[in-house]
Amino acid sequence: SGRAPPPGATDHVRIPVEHMVRLLEEEGLDPTMPHLKAQLALVTSKKEDDEGPMVDVDAALGVLGPDSVLVRRIKDELKVPEWAKFTATMDSIAEDVCSFPAKGHVASYITPLAHEDPERFGMAICSVDGQMYCKGDASYSTSIQACVTPFLYALAVEECGVRRTHRIVGYEPSGLSYAAVSLNADKKPHNPLINSGAMACCA
């Protein structure tokens, strides 16, 4: 049916691994991702029946815990429900955007961007559960320039924690150009999203 067993009716239910894989893929999840692959291996019965290896749903609920992606999929509790409807909406948005006349120009003053094809268009979305949507030129590699700064900040916080990160970079706006080389009164870059703050996060 494409639906997972309903909550309250999952005790001792076993699902063929092949079916579980389809359930994941239908909701934009890649079962070959390391965390999902590990979760599946942990709750897959080694004893096969006529339908092949089986996922023990009861074991999944008990062993993996309610916050695991596999359990949330089984219980239809992913952060982006009705994935097919969501992707249809994104497809429609992409079509609308692609129908607009091309009026912009590449940033010719930035060497890595000067020779880019202005007709390229891509969309990529990843939910907190790992549901992935890609459209158009999403897999094309290009220079993202200063757009990288929030990701560098997130990596620094993940690696070092908020307190340690902000020992070397501030929180507040500088009031200056993002490229200005300036420090605040504490001798730190004003925030992680200006160039000096991004370099500090890299360090």
Side-chain angles (χ1 to χ4, degrees):
S1 64
R3 303 291 291 176
T10 55
D11 286 350
H12 308 298
V13 171
R14 287 168 17 111
I15 304 173
V17 169
E18 185 178 322
H19 179 53
M20 189 70 240
V21 165
R22 285 200 305 272
L23 289 175
L24 293 169
E25 291 174 340
E26 286 172 3
E27 294 302 316
L29 294 163
D30 181 356
T32 66
M33 292 294 286
H35 67 295
L36 275 175
K37 195 172 181 179
Q39 289 178 21
L40 278 170
L42 195 60
V43 297
T44 297
S45 172
K46 295 180 180 179
K47 183 179 179 181
E48 299 185 10
D49 59 17
D50 293 340
E51 296 183 86
M54 308 289 286
V55 172
D56 188 322
V57 174
D58 191 44
L61 296 174
V63 173
L64 298 178
D67 293 328
S68 71
V69 174
L70 187 60
V71 168
R72 287 207 300 275
R73 174 61 189 105
I74 289 171
K75 298 174 71 175
D76 284 326
E77 293 178 353
L78 293 174
K79 295 300 182 181
V80 181
E82 299 183 319
W83 185 252
K85 184 182 292 186
F86 172 80
T87 56
T89 300
M90 293 302 103
D91 286 344
S92 177
I93 291 172
E95 289 174 10
D96 287 346
V97 171
C98 289
S99 70
F100 296 157
K103 295 182 178 180
H105 302 280
V106 297
S108 58
Y109 60 93
I110 299 175
T111 302
L113 301 180
H115 304 294
E116 289 288 1
D117 181 355
E119 296 298 319
R120 285 192 181 276
F121 170 78
M123 291 173 61
I125 299 170
C126 182
S127 77
V128 294
D129 286 323
Q131 296 162 280
M132 284 292 301
Y133 170 85
C134 295
K135 186 76 173 180
D137 297 311
S139 62
Y140 176 75
S141 296
T142 187
S143 174
I144 62 173
Q145 300 291 307
C147 294
V148 76
T149 56
F151 301 105
L152 290 176
Y153 177 48
L155 287 170
V157 170
E158 182 179 44
E159 182 74 19
C160 304
V162 174
R163 288 187 179 183
R164 186 178 172 192
T165 299
H166 283 286
R167 287 176 190 163
I168 62 168
V169 64
Y171 295 90
E172 302 297 332
S174 68
L176 303 170
S177 164
Y178 73 93
V181 179
S182 63
L183 301 176
N184 63 16
D186 296 321
K187 307 298 183 184
K188 299 188 291 189
H190 291 269
N191 64 72
L193 303 186
I194 58 175
N195 281 1
S196 56
M199 288 187 283
C201 286
C202 284

